[in-house]
Each structure stands twice: as structure tokens, then as C-alpha cells.
Amino acid sequence: MSNEGGSAWVFGENIDTDQLAPGGTLKSGIEVIASHCLGALSPDFAQRVRPGDFVVGGRNFGIGSSREQAAQALCHLGVEAVIAPSFSGIFYRNALNFGLLALVCPYAGSISQGDQLSVNPEKGSVQNLTRDETYSCDTVPSHLMEIVSAGGLVPYLEANRR
Amino acid sequence: MGQTLAEKLIARAAGKDVVRPGENVTVRVDLAMMHDSSGPRRIAPILERLGAQVWDKDKIVLVSDHWVPAVDPQSAQILDITRRWARENNIKAFYDMVGICHVVLPQGGHLKPGMFVVGGDSHSTTGGAFGCYMFGIGSTDMAGVLVTGETWLRVPESIRLEWNGRLRPGVCAKDINLALCARLGLGGAEYRTVEYTGTLVDAMDMEERMTLSNMAAELGAQAGLIAADETTCDWIKATGSDPGDASPWQSDDDANYHATHSFTADELEPQVAAPHSPANAAPVNEHSGVNIDQAYIGACTGAKLSDLRMAADVLADRQVAAGTRLLVAPASRQDMMAANAEGTLTKLMEAGAIMMPTGCGACAGFGGGVLAEDEVCISSTSRNFQGRMGAQSAKVYLGSPYSVAAAAVAGEIRDPREFLQGA
């Protein structure tokens, strides 16, 4: 699985679930939650991010609540993958369950806002097309890649229970 | 080579003799806990789409605690969906508005040493205080558990957090948590499991142990385990449940840990974490003098009976300062009734505390007691992320129930030991 390339949206360390899916929006559906995603840090992120773009974070991405809307919001906005040196464990699981790639990449800090990226999760590489650099990232284990490829846990279970 | 407690608990659930860190395993789940926010409103549509029924209705505990009591038609709807789903699925262990899931679950006698439990909430680490493996998952993961009775995990390495000695008066488990967040960093455990050991932990009561395990979440641990002992078993028996044999559920002497951090409790001072991270913790005196608009005693972390007692110790025969408000939302109805019976609630109310319904309340900004722009709060809860408890510009400091009560009395952050006899 590889892609055509998309722009990087770069954020810092410890991006928490209250920033990804603010508590005040959680009574609402995913459209409303997604429109506020990361708004406290980048007010126009939700409006300007394009399908196929990437979110790049510092260590500990997705720390906090188990609310899976944090991952679902990024997915709803069409984000191709989140790339960070480390993830909160619950967020990591939630992301894969929505078919959103979470790539552990120690070199995420080399990526700048707007860089064009493309990823290969099976080979474990992130390509920075703007800088003509390639960074290694952890591969996603095959049993989890099956879930991602199916589009998430629900479609995966749907296909495998019938 | 021996096994850690985490490895033993996971091995049993995986039907194996031994598991090792890094291994991916499928585990049978003994109990699944979820609440109104993570539960039926999100998992029911998934079960419907899959045309599936729950795998075992008697292994599900459902707690309405996040959106209680309803404040608008949307939150009322969430609670209504939860009640209807409980009824339609014949869930016997349904706790509606009687407390916070992490406190109600053990108080209902549902946790026993050796179990493998998942919870639809990040503070599910709290259950690890009972010598069972309990960790938090999202709703889609939970739907998978409800359909199959199974889930997966990558066996984590363990980190031992050893606390010896005795805490000085006015210092408690919450201060330990904040000190650990400062020392290891927010998420510093990197999804390993932490195990709390040492003579201090051995001597702690169950509520203080629950507080410890609770904030394993802020350390970024998958689980926060404490091996069961007589204290654990006696507590479980008092709920009317049989704890079973706890003796197998101990780490081996030659178990392998990723790291061991040893601490002496006697040296620890009350800790306060500055906005907007629990890892911004420092001795309380570094923040003294910060003016406080709201003092909040609440949440699974900081409003159990023992927490209410700590607050009452400071507040007895004193008054909340003019210009500061103190809100108290007990962690469960059981804790509230016990605090009432022994006079603790009276002490809080006589001091001017505003009593709130039991539930998650203002902690995650869902319930009553949220903050206005630029307000400053000190809270006995676990997280002070920006915007979590109300307005984006609000500032939340975290402290123990002692420190929150002291700030309520002084109108500013102060060392709680100034207000405690013998401290």
C-alpha cells in the first residue's frame, strides 16, 4: 500500500484527545467533532486539510482519553496516516480500528509543514518528496495491517464473520 | 526466567503457560466494562451492522456516569439509549447514575485477582489495583470484544515502581502520581505496564491503591498493577464477593523488568501540577499564592471516601474563602452515603462546599462545574489538558484533595500542611 503523496500538517508533542476531539463536541456526530479537530492549535486545519494529507506529531501522539472520535475525526477528514515517534497505546489501537494508519517514525521531527509525503507501511518507510529523503518507520504487524486494509475493525469483522 | 504479574495475567487469558514481551496474543476477556459515553450509543450501531449479539451478557458491566445528570436533550438522549440497550440486552450489572465506573466496578464486587478485564475508558487502569489485568480500549475495540469475547494485545514489558517508607501527614497517593508524571513524563511508560510495589504500597488501603493505578493512564501505561494481598481480599469480601485464590498472581523474584524505579516516600512533599499537563508537577510551594476561582474535588481519581476525608481534614471548622467556590462531586453513591453517615459530608458542607451529583462531572467538561474563560481552578482530578474542563483559556492545576481543600480555604494555592494538625 502506497499513495500518491499528500501534504504534511506538523504538530508538536503530546497532542491529546481533548485537542483532537474536544469534550464540548462529543455529544454531536463525527461531522461536528471533526470540524473542531486540532482547532485549538491550528484554527483552519479542519477546513484546509485535504484527503490524502498527513498529520505529523511529536512523541506521545493521542495521549488522554479512550474516546475513539480522536482517531475517527482524522479519518473523517481524509487523513492518510498519522506519523509520530510514539503514540498513546489506546489511540494507536483506535486509529487502526478505523483504518487510519499510525506510523511510528523516530524521524518524524525531520518533516516540515507542507512537505509532500508518501508512505509504505508494509516496507516501513516514509518518503519526503519535498526534501528527497526517506525515513524508516516501524512496519504495522500483518494481523493489524489486515484490519487497516479492510477499512477498519468493523468492515474486517463483517467480512470475516460471513 | 520468571514472569512478571502482567505476563502471568496475560498468559492465563491467552491460554498459555508463558508469554514474553513483544508477543502478539489473542486473549479471552473475563469482563467488559463500558459507560454511557463509550458504550451503547457507539457500540449498538456496530452490533446491528454486524448482525451480532453480545457474547455473554453476564460478563458486561454498564455504568452511566459521564453525561449524568442530563443537562440538555442530547445528553438525555445518550442516557436514554444506554438504559434501553441495558434493558434490551438484559444487562444485570447496569449502574445508572450511582457513581463513576472505575469506583462502582470494584464496589460492586466485579473485580478479582487473576481476571482479564477491558474497560471502555482510559482510566480503566484503576482496576489493576485489584491484581487483575485491566486496560482501556475504544468503542470499536469494545464492539469487537462484545461480539467475540476476545481481543488482542502485544505483551508489554513491565516497569516496576517501588515505593518504600511512609508518607508524611498531608501527603497521599495523588502526590505520588503527580511526582511520577514529573519524573517519567506524560506518557513516559510508552504503553508498558507499570507495577507498583514496596512497603508503602503494601501498607496502603485499597482506595489509595486505586488512586495509584488510576493515574497509570497519565504515565501512558497500558495497565497499572498492584499484586493482591490480604488487604485486597478483605476489601473484596466486604463487597460480598469471593476473591478466590490470589496467591498465583504475584511477580516471580527472577522476573524481568524493563526498568525499576525506587523511591522513598518519606521525602515526598505535596505536589501540584501547573497547566496544562500532569507532568508539570512540582512541590506545592512552587505554586503557592496562585489565586483560585474554583476548587474541585471530583472524579475517579480524587473523590472516593478517603479523598473526601482528606478534604474534610483540612476544611473542618474552616470556611471556603470569599471569591473562591468549592465544588464536590463524590465518586459514588456508596462513598457519598458513607461520608454522610460518618459526618464527613457535614464538615464539607459547613465549610461552604457546593455538593454535586456523583458522576464524572466537570473533570472531562461533560457535567456541571466547567470553567469560564481565564478562570483558574485547582482540581483533584487526573488531567489538566487545555480546554478539557471548560474554556480554552481556563487554567487547571492538579493537586491532592488536601491541596485542593487548602486552596479553597486560602483562596490561593497553599501547602495543605499549614491546615493539618500534626503535619
Side-chain angles (χ1 to χ4, degrees):
Chain A
M1 194 164 118
S2 190
N3 59 37
E4 312 261 302
S7 298
W9 292 81
V10 177
F11 296 91
E13 294 186 346
N14 296 316
I15 297 300
D16 64 63
T17 51
D18 285 279
Q19 291 165 331
L20 291 160
T25 67
L26 283 185
K27 279 181 281 193
S28 308
I30 195 63
E31 297 78 11
V32 174
I33 297 169
S35 72
H36 290 87
C37 181
L38 294 168
L41 299 171
S42 173
D44 59 353
F45 168 75
Q47 282 69 48
R48 291 186 48 213
V49 68
R50 293 284 159 258
D53 281 356
F54 296 86
V55 166
V56 179
R59 61 179 285 281
N60 215 13
F61 191 96
I63 187 80
S65 159
S66 67
R67 62 184 73 153
E68 63 182 8
Q69 292 94 325
Q72 192 185 9
L74 294 172
C75 217
H76 184 80
L77 295 169
V79 170
E80 175 78 16
V82 185
I83 302 165
S86 66
F87 289 88
S88 146
I90 303 180
F91 178 89
Y92 184 85
R93 292 179 72 113
N94 287 340
L96 301 184
N97 284 335
F98 278 98
L100 173 68
L101 278 170
L103 298 175
V104 179
C105 176
Y107 312 102
S110 310
I111 301 168
S112 298
Q113 177 72 26
D115 282 359
Q116 293 296 300
L117 307 177
S118 129
V119 299
N120 190 326
E122 274 133 342
K123 279 195 184 158
S125 69
V126 175
Q127 247 198 306
N128 189 331
L129 307 169
T130 304
R131 286 159 201 278
D132 196 20
E133 291 173 345
T134 303
Y135 319 114
S136 64
C137 65
D138 289 2
T139 54
V140 179
S142 59
H143 74 290
L144 298 180
M145 206 56 221
E146 282 176 36
I147 293 174
V148 173
S149 303
L153 183 65
V154 176
Y156 173 83
L157 287 174
E158 211 168 24
N160 286 276
R161 279 172 55 82
R162 285 180 184 161
Chain B
M1 190 177 68
Q3 292 190 89
T4 63
L5 173 57
E7 287 152 21
K8 289 185 183 181
L9 291 166
I10 295 168
R12 189 203 63 83
K16 296 180 167 209
D17 293 331
V18 176
V19 294
R20 294 293 177 208
E23 213 179 305
N24 283 299
V25 292
T26 299
V27 285
R28 296 294 301 170
V29 170
D30 297 308
L31 191 72
M33 185 277 289
M34 55 187 174
H35 54 61
D36 49 337
S37 194
S38 69
R41 69 163 176 147
R42 291 193 65 85
I43 56 101
I46 298 175
L47 296 184
E48 200 169 314
R49 179 172 163 187
L50 295 172
Q53 300 291 314
V54 299
W55 100 106
D56 189 340
K57 65 180 172 56
D58 295 325
K59 290 182 176 170
I60 296 169
V61 177
L62 180 60
V63 184
S64 280
D65 58 4
H66 273 62
W67 300 104
V68 301
V71 293
D72 56 20
Q74 277 176 306
S75 48
Q77 192 64 34
I78 293 170
L79 294 173
D80 182 55
I81 290 169
T82 310
R83 289 185 195 108
R84 279 193 285 117
W85 191 85
R87 205 160 47 233
E88 284 160 13
N89 287 276
N90 198 16
I91 306 296
K92 292 196 196 80
F94 174 41
Y95 297 91
D96 195 3
M97 303 175 64
V98 295
I100 304 171
C101 56
H102 307 299
V103 177
V104 164
L105 189 69
Q107 286 182 345
H110 296 286
L111 296 181
K112 298 172 192 186
M115 289 174 76
F116 191 95
V117 189
V118 292
D121 190 274
S122 58
H123 286 110
S124 297
T125 53
T126 312
F130 293 83
C132 54
Y133 203 88
M134 183 162 180
F135 73 112
I137 57 175
S139 302
T140 299
D141 243 347
M142 181 62 77
V145 170
L146 294 185
V147 172
T148 63
E150 293 179 343
T151 193
W152 64 272
L153 82 165
R154 184 170 175 270
V155 180
E157 294 177 305
S158 293
I159 297 174
R160 182 163 45 192
L161 301 174
E162 185 181 68
W163 283 85
N164 292 313
R166 289 178 63 174
L167 291 168
R168 289 188 288 192
V171 185
C172 61
K174 177 62 179 290
D175 298 303
I176 292 180
N177 287 335
L178 293 175
L180 286 171
C181 286
R183 170 76 180 272
L184 300 182
L186 184 70
E190 297 181 325
Y191 216 40
R192 295 182 181 89
T193 282
V194 296
E195 184 181 344
Y196 302 91
T197 66
T199 55
L200 175 73
V201 179
D202 293 342
M204 271 183 176
D205 65 30
M206 284 315 296
E207 291 195 343
E208 283 285 88
R209 292 184 188 179
M210 286 164 68
T211 303
L212 277 189
S213 293
N214 178 276
M215 282 186 67
E218 281 60 47
L219 296 176
Q222 184 174 55
L225 306 181
I226 300 173
D229 60 8
E230 211 178 311
T231 304
T232 324
C233 294
D234 287 347
W235 200 94
I236 293 170
K237 282 179 198 156
T239 70
S241 281
D242 175 8
D245 181 12
S247 61
W249 310 114
Q250 318 282 333
S251 289
D252 292 326
D253 290 339
D254 58 346
N256 193 33
Y257 288 88
H258 169 75
T260 295
H261 301 284
S262 296
F263 304 90
T264 305
D266 307 69
E267 293 161 10
L268 187 68
E269 294 190 59
Q271 303 284 305
V272 166
H276 299 286
S277 170
N280 293 340
V284 59
N285 289 323
E286 293 193 19
H287 301 297
S288 16
V290 172
N291 283 318
I292 295 296
D293 298 302
Q294 173 168 307
Y296 186 73
I297 303 274
C300 46
T301 316
K304 300 176 290 298
L305 179 60
S306 60
D307 301 311
L308 301 177
R309 286 174 180 160
M310 290 178 211
D313 283 350
V314 171
L315 290 163
D317 303 321
R318 293 196 172 89
Q319 285 295 308
V320 172
T324 300
R325 57 186 186 270
L326 170 63
L327 273 52
V328 179
S332 75
R333 187 176 65 175
Q334 184 176 315
D335 287 339
M336 201 170 189
M337 289 195 303
N340 182 47
E342 68 182 25
T344 296
L345 277 196
T346 305
K347 284 183 196 164
L348 299 178
M349 289 190 288
E350 281 178 353
I354 300 156
M355 294 307 300
M356 309 276 288
T358 182
C360 302
C363 172
F366 294 6
V370 297
L371 302 166
E373 295 289 350
D374 298 320
E375 281 196 317
V376 180
C377 176
I378 184 166
S379 177
S380 68
T381 56
S382 60
R383 285 183 190 143
N384 55 350
F385 299 154
Q386 188 169 6
R388 175 175 167 90
M389 215 171 167
Q392 280 293 328
S393 61
K395 293 184 176 66
V396 179
Y397 289 80
L398 300 176
S400 73
Y402 290 126
S403 296
V404 172
V409 167
E412 61 181 40
I413 294 177
R414 288 268 281 278
D415 190 327
R417 293 172 296 186
E418 293 172 32
F419 302 91
L420 291 166
Q421 284 191 336

